[in-house]
Amino acid sequence: MTDPRVLRGPLLSFLEDPGDQDQPAPGSLLYLEDGAIWLDHGHIRAIGDYTQMAPNLPSGIETVDYTGKLMMPGFIDSHVHYVQLDIMASYGRQLLDWLNDYTFPEECRFAEREHAEQVAEIFLDELMRVGTTTAQVFCTSHPVSVESFFVAAHRRGLRMLAGKVLMDRNAPEALTDTALGGIRDSEALIADWHGKDRLGYSLTPRFAPTSTRQQLDAAGSLLRSAPDLHLQTHLSENRGEIEWVAELFPEAHDYLNVYERFGLVGPRSTFAHSIHLTPEARTRLAEAGANAAFCPTSNLFLGSGLFDRLACNNAGLTFSLASDIGGGTDLCGLGTLKAAYQVGQLLGQPLTAWQGFYHLTLGNARALHLDAHIGCLREGAEADIVVLDPEATPLLARRTARTKTLGELLFALMMLGDDRTIFETWAGGKRQHRRDASL
Ligand code: GUN
Ligand code: ZN
């Protein structure tokens, strides 16, 4: 499956942040109408214009023709709960009720290995179907949920980050660990999985209300002892949540300060949501080099609020894009882009297609410190590629036929595209998904 081959067709890859103007900054992207990507042992051996590369390609090498399609780096989801796949679209609550009524009961099921293994496979099948080749993933507090996920991702040769949820209070007994037991379990999982081929471990305190000070403190110590670990948690998503944190941690001057006090705010830390923040808190996050995960479909679904992307830019705070399934309503990165555009419109800061696709690929790779491996189609990078079909449906074909520029095409894909638009997904140099030919 990882035999050398060439993927030929139109391709687009960002090399830098294209900026917020209508046109991308000069030199910020590579676009080739007749491009070629030479895959070899899971990596990109060479990339360029097909006619220029052709004389240097091995004779008889298999060439896959994607004329009329568009190749891009595989999409990246910076924050998603695989264990919430089956409670997407559970009606009618804001965050804290939604957690108690739907999320926690569902997560209890992941004590069972068989269930965890089954959902991990289905989740990864779905990720491939939507063109997402890397994600930073919440499991549950059960170590077996993490093991099942890593086993499945490893078998497929994927680059993934994941971690065991730490939560030692304010949740059903079946989900709570203990302050130090949770850390010990995390250490064992780190020993087994962190750095194994393309897998990495992300320390995962759920959010401040479900961990004691002792647990947060132990998580901080672990992070200090292994600074190449990632960390993922939630921050300032919902007003009720913020008030609860203020009651639970009166010594902290704001929600972010809870995490700061325990040394959890660092360059590899992702803070999902980060909606209701003061400019000063955004600056503190920026100074720590942390990233805020913008989860637009989740924020709209749970009525959490509107993420202020420009305020992040002004503070120098990196943001990433994320589905936050099951709070989110669309696993596909194209759906995330559409909702991000709509949230931006409500704040008078519409997202350009250049910004959108940059963030879904290189931007997210940079935010997660994975850009040495993924996010860009370049020589030496890992061969994670999504092939988009601008003619995926009759309506999309009609609309994209009218586009005159690459910018217009990208915008139509971002607003009208969905999982049907994902023609193929390659990861680790293997074809992992091909859209049902009957579509
Ligand atoms: N805050 C704490 N846990 C969760 C979760 O599972 N989903 C969301 N959206 N927010 C959270
Ligand atoms: Zn989340």
Side-chain angles (χ1 to χ4, degrees):
M1 275 293 270
T2 55
D3 289 348
R5 45 163 75 76
V6 173
L7 312 186
R8 177 182 182 181
L11 66 83
L12 169 68
S13 180
F14 288 91
L15 309 171
E16 286 299 335
D17 186 334
D20 254 320
Q21 304 305 310
D22 287 352
Q23 293 306 318
S28 61
L29 59 84
L30 170 72
Y31 175 70
L32 300 172
E33 256 182 59
D34 184 17
I37 310 174
W38 178 0
L39 310 186
D40 195 8
H41 290 96
H43 287 75
I44 296 176
R45 175 152 173 181
I47 178 165
D49 187 73
Y50 180 79
T51 45
Q52 282 173 19
M53 262 171 69
N56 303 320
L57 294 171
S59 68
I61 189 168
E62 183 193 339
T63 301
V64 188
D65 186 355
Y66 292 126
T67 305
K69 306 289 190 289
L70 178 62
M71 294 183 277
M72 292 182 62
F75 297 154
I76 300 168
D77 189 342
S78 67
H79 175 76
V80 57
H81 303 247
Y82 97 82
V83 294
Q84 296 177 12
L85 194 68
D86 294 335
I87 55 148
M88 286 171 75
S90 295
Y91 175 72
R93 301 291 173 147
Q94 288 219 343
L95 175 66
L96 299 177
D97 288 328
W98 178 82
L99 285 175
N100 285 320
D101 293 352
Y102 302 114
T103 313
F104 290 161
E106 177 66 15
E107 293 193 7
C108 289
R109 304 175 71 193
F110 287 78
E112 298 293 331
R113 179 181 295 275
E114 203 182 326
H115 181 71
E117 286 176 354
Q118 187 202 35
V119 179
E121 294 293 351
I122 292 168
F123 174 79
L124 291 174
D125 288 347
E126 284 296 315
L127 276 194
M128 297 302 104
R129 275 182 16 80
V130 298
T132 298
T133 48
T134 289
Q136 182 169 225
V137 178
F138 264 60
C139 304
T140 66
S141 49
H142 314 101
V144 72
S145 72
V146 187
E147 223 174 273
S148 302
F149 179 78
F150 276 140
V151 166
H154 190 254
R155 194 183 312 114
R156 298 177 195 228
L158 304 177
R159 180 165 287 284
M160 289 285 160
L161 299 171
K164 182 205 109 71
V165 167
L166 295 164
M167 51 194 307
D168 64 343
R169 64 166 169 172
N170 292 325
E173 216 179 304
L175 280 186
T176 46
D177 52 19
T178 61
L180 298 181
I183 299 296
R184 268 198 306 274
D185 286 344
S186 303
E187 285 170 337
L189 289 162
I190 291 163
D192 286 347
W193 295 104
H194 184 59
K196 185 166 178 158
D197 295 325
R198 305 179 74 201
L199 305 177
Y201 196 86
S202 196
L203 266 182
T204 309
R206 176 168 219 120
F207 68 156
T210 47
S211 283
T212 58
R213 290 171 182 75
Q214 197 191 0
Q215 186 168 65
L216 294 174
D217 189 47
S221 299
L222 180 50
L223 195 59
R224 273 191 296 283
S225 73
D228 65 327
L229 294 176
H230 284 74
L231 179 133
Q232 53 182 348
T233 189
H234 298 90
L235 170 69
S236 293
E237 174 178 4
N238 167 284
R239 301 270 182 207
E241 170 208 16
I242 294 166
E243 281 167 25
W244 193 25
V245 171
E247 282 165 25
L248 291 169
F249 297 93
E251 70 279 20
H253 57 80
D254 63 10
Y255 191 162
L256 175 61
N257 186 238
V258 175
Y259 297 132
E260 289 172 331
R261 284 167 170 264
F262 297 109
L264 301 176
V265 187
R268 287 170 178 258
S269 303
T270 298
F271 293 93
H273 307 295
S274 300
I275 299 170
H276 308 286
L277 294 178
T278 61
E280 189 259 341
R282 284 194 193 90
T283 303
R284 278 151 52 209
L285 279 169
E287 282 171 358
N291 101 81
F294 175 19
C295 312
T297 69
S298 170
N299 298 159
L300 295 172
F301 180 72
L302 291 173
S304 303
L306 304 175
F307 181 88
D308 192 336
R309 196 168 38 83
L310 288 196
C312 292
N313 288 348
N314 292 339
L317 170 59
T318 300
F319 75 89
S320 57
L321 287 171
S323 71
D324 191 36
I325 298 304
T329 51
D330 202 330
L331 191 59
C332 183
L334 298 173
T336 300
L337 290 186
K338 174 160 84 172
Y341 175 82
Q342 291 165 338
V343 167
Q345 277 287 52
L346 293 175
L347 292 175
Q349 44 181 257
L351 185 76
T352 66
W354 308 113
Q355 271 293 307
F357 282 99
Y358 162 72
H359 278 285
L360 208 50
T361 56
L362 183 59
N364 271 8
R366 285 179 168 174
L368 296 177
H369 291 256
L370 296 176
D371 51 311
H373 310 288
I374 57 169
C376 183
L377 303 178
R378 58 169 176 76
E379 193 182 312
E382 293 171 355
D384 289 0
I385 297 155
V386 59
V387 184
L388 304 177
D389 180 4
E391 301 179 334
T393 67
L395 184 63
L396 189 64
R398 227 180 130 71
R399 176 64 186 90
T400 56
R402 288 172 66 112
T403 59
K404 296 191 178 59
T405 63
L406 177 62
E408 287 176 12
L409 173 67
L410 292 175
F411 189 68
L413 290 173
M414 134 169 163
M415 297 310 294
L416 300 178
D418 56 28
D419 55 350
R420 295 169 295 182
T421 314
I422 310 304
F423 183 67
E424 285 188 3
T425 303
W426 291 72
K430 292 186 220 168
R431 187 191 274 119
Q432 306 259 0
H433 165 70
R434 171 154 219 189
R435 193 186 63 199
D436 179 350
S438 69
L439 282 175

